């Protein structure tokens, strides 16, 4: 750290020397205070993680905090694999579940910015032999969960397909198109994973290549993010997720292979690095940043039971009253919370591989520590 140079003349040398010494002491005190503040944040963050995961012997969580695209704190606690004893660290990979939706929404916004589609385009425009109801559903309805379409998970299970049975993207799309909206399109918010399955399909129809490859080309590679869209794949370094019953843990995994609504695999640290795009607009520019929240619809009290306060749903993200962005993800027994501060300078990600911890509360605590 640079400081001001103290210049003395002979007749005031003793006074100047004394002043210079006082200046250096004061400067040292400021630097010590800054170091202590940083150490305090790290200590308090570690305490949040320890409270979230009291025992390091079972499944646990990893967390990271980013400042303007730089990871300033990250840690893990608990076991990534109970059979081998492998610990959760800052490098452990998790399935980010529904936190993946923001990439799908941003892919749609990116194509809209290139005039390859529009949010008021009808779903039927991107389907072969479209059902009649798809002529009333827009891409904007899908993105903001106002299509009224039932969730494909419920539809597949109603057909007798369990989470332990194989089911892929086309199985899900077929089940969705064979159904009927439960509400008139555009009338009210109703969260449904089907919307984002269909948006991924729309992207594939427009660009003529697999959706995972598009995300890699347009988002992950340009931003140097160690992320992959890989449904039902055992990615190297990935944690296993666990069901808990009476203190015992059993692995939870499903062969379902859907994408668009989930399946991004990465670490919390990489996710807070991605968050800086909400500040810089490096991918998509200011137009994409504006459209992330433009036209966001009220969710009422739909998400209160999930620990999320009232807000408005935009492009794969929930906009809270204080202007922060947040989303949660739940798949198998991976549970994540991703939050970006109102000024977009700070982001937090907390991910767990079992159901018990209150990761949403922990994310809020970490954001408070690093923004106040």
């Amino acid at each position: 750290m640079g400081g001001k140079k103290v210049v003395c003349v002979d007749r005031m040398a003793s006074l100047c020397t004394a002043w210079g010494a006082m200046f250096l002491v004061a400067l040292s005190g400021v630097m010590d205070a800054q170091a202590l503040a940083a150490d305090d944040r790290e200590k308090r963050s570690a305490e949040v993680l320890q409270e979230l995961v009291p025992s390091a012997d079972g499944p646990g969580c990893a967390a990271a905090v980013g400042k303007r695209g730089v990871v300033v704190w990250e840690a893990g606690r608990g076991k990534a694999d109970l059979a081998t004893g492998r610990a959760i660290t800052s490098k452990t990979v998790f399935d980010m579940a529904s936190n993946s939706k923001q990439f799908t929404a941003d892919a749609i916004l990116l194509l809209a910015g290139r005039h390859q589609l529009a949010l008021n385009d009808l779903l039927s425009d991107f389907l072969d032999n479209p059902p009649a109801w798809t002529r009333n559903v827009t891409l904007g309805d899908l993105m903001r969960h106002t299509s009224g379409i039932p969730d494909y998970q419920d539809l597949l299970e109603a057909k007798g397909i369990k989470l332990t049975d194989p089911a892929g993207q086309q199985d899900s799309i077929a089940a969705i198109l064979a159904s009927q909206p439960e509400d008139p399109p555009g009338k009210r918010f109703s969260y449904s994973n089907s919307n984002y399955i269909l948006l991924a399909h729309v992207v594939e129809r427009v660009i003529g290549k697999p959706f995972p490859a598009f995300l890699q080309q347009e988002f992950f590679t340009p931003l140097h993010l160690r992320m992959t869209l890989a449904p039902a794949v055992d990615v190297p370094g990935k944690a296993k997720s666990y069901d808990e019953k009476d203190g015992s843990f059993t692995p939870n995994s499903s062969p379902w292979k859907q994408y668009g609504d989930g399946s991004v695999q990465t670490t919390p640290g990489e996710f807070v690095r991605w968050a800086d795009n909400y500040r810089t607009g490096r991918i998509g520019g200011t137009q994409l940043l504006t459209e992330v929240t433009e036209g966001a619809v009220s969710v009422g009290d739909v998400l209160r039971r999930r620990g999320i306060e009232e807000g408005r749903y935009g492009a794969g993200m929930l906009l809270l009253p204080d202007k922060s962005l947040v989303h949660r993800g739940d798949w198998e027994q991976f549970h994540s919370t991703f939050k970006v501060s109102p000024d977009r300078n700070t982001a937090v990600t907390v991910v767990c591989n079992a159901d018990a911890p209150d990761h949403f509360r922990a994310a809020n605590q970490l954001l408070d520590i690093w923004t106040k």
Side-chain angles (χ1 to χ4, degrees):
M1 180 177 177
K4 294 182 179 179
K5 184 177 181 181
V6 180
V7 180
C8 300
V9 295
D10 289 343
R11 64 189 178 87
M12 297 187 68
S14 61
L15 178 60
C16 189
T17 300
W19 180 86
M22 292 173 63
F23 174 79
L24 291 174
V25 169
L27 179 61
S28 176
V30 170
M31 295 175 67
D32 287 346
Q34 291 174 340
L36 285 172
D39 290 343
D40 181 62
R41 288 196 300 267
E42 293 175 3
K43 177 176 178 292
R44 290 162 60 199
S45 299
E47 289 171 350
V48 169
L49 187 58
Q50 185 167 356
E51 180 183 2
L52 184 65
V53 187
S55 172
D57 295 329
C61 307
V65 180
K67 285 276 192 181
R68 298 171 73 88
V70 176
V71 179
V72 295
W73 179 82
E74 57 184 344
R77 182 172 169 82
K79 301 299 184 187
D81 188 332
L82 295 180
T84 65
R86 177 165 56 96
I88 294 174
T89 71
S90 60
K91 305 305 180 186
T92 301
V93 173
F94 294 82
D95 189 320
M96 292 296 170
S98 287
N99 270 306
S100 310
K101 285 184 171 68
Q102 57 198 287
F103 295 102
T104 306
D106 287 353
I108 291 291
L109 295 181
L110 198 63
L111 294 176
R114 295 172 181 173
H115 307 290
Q116 292 179 265
L117 54 77
L119 294 185
N120 60 2
D121 285 346
L122 299 176
L123 173 59
S124 56
D125 295 343
F126 304 92
L127 300 171
D128 298 322
N129 303 314
W133 60 264
T134 63
R135 298 183 176 90
N136 298 315
V137 175
T138 69
L139 301 187
D141 290 329
L142 297 175
M143 187 176 73
R144 302 183 188 108
H145 292 293
T146 57
S147 69
I149 302 171
D151 197 296
Y152 76 87
Q153 296 180 18
D154 296 331
L155 295 173
L156 290 180
E157 289 177 357
K159 293 176 62 176
I161 301 175
K162 301 176 182 178
L163 286 171
T164 52
D165 298 327
Q169 190 80 347
Q170 294 307 313
D171 297 310
S172 302
I173 292 173
I176 295 166
L177 297 181
S179 70
Q180 291 286 333
E182 298 172 330
D183 295 301
K187 294 300 182 183
R188 73 179 186 93
F189 174 87
S190 180
Y191 192 94
S192 172
N193 290 292
S194 296
N195 294 314
Y196 278 71
I197 290 282
L198 292 172
L199 287 176
H201 171 77
V202 168
V203 171
E204 291 179 332
R205 289 297 295 263
V206 170
I207 66 172
K209 67 173 62 174
F211 182 70
F214 183 77
L215 288 192
Q216 190 68 50
Q217 173 185 316
E218 300 290 344
F219 292 92
F220 303 157
T221 297
L223 294 175
H224 306 290
L225 297 172
R226 292 184 293 273
M227 294 184 175
T228 183
L229 180 61
V233 173
D234 193 10
V235 177
K238 183 178 176 180
K240 298 183 182 300
S241 67
Y242 294 90
D243 288 312
E244 187 272 334
K245 184 177 181 181
D246 299 328
S248 297
F249 295 97
T250 56
N252 180 310
S253 63
S254 171
W256 284 21
K257 293 185 177 182
Q258 289 80 20
Y259 53 85
D261 63 324
S263 296
V264 168
Q265 317 286 327
T266 192
T267 68
E270 291 300 291
F271 227 79
V272 298
R273 289 184 59 233
W274 147 252
D276 202 44
N277 200 68
Y278 288 111
R279 179 183 67 88
T280 65
R282 180 178 170 187
I283 304 298
T286 56
Q287 181 178 351
L288 185 145
L289 295 186
T290 298
E291 291 180 344
V292 165
T293 55
E294 191 174 68
V297 298
S298 173
V299 302
D301 62 355
V302 171
L303 299 181
R304 287 187 186 278
R305 62 181 178 272
R306 294 170 60 89
I308 298 177
E309 61 187 284
E310 184 175 352
R312 294 183 295 130
Y313 201 96
M317 291 294 286
L318 192 68
L319 178 68
L320 298 186
D322 68 354
K323 305 303 181 184
S324 61
L325 299 173
V326 68
H327 210 288
R328 287 182 56 167
D330 304 279
W331 173 244
E332 295 176 340
Q333 286 295 350
F334 291 110
H335 305 279
S336 59
T337 294
F338 172 67
K339 193 167 186 179
V340 185
S341 63
D343 63 6
R344 306 294 182 260
N345 286 327
T346 310
V348 172
T349 305
V350 180
V351 194
C352 306
N353 63 339
D355 192 29
D358 189 349
H359 49 93
F360 184 73
R361 177 173 176 267
N364 285 331
Q365 290 175 315
L366 290 171
L367 197 62
D368 285 343
I369 289 171
W370 290 90
T371 56
K372 294 181 179 178

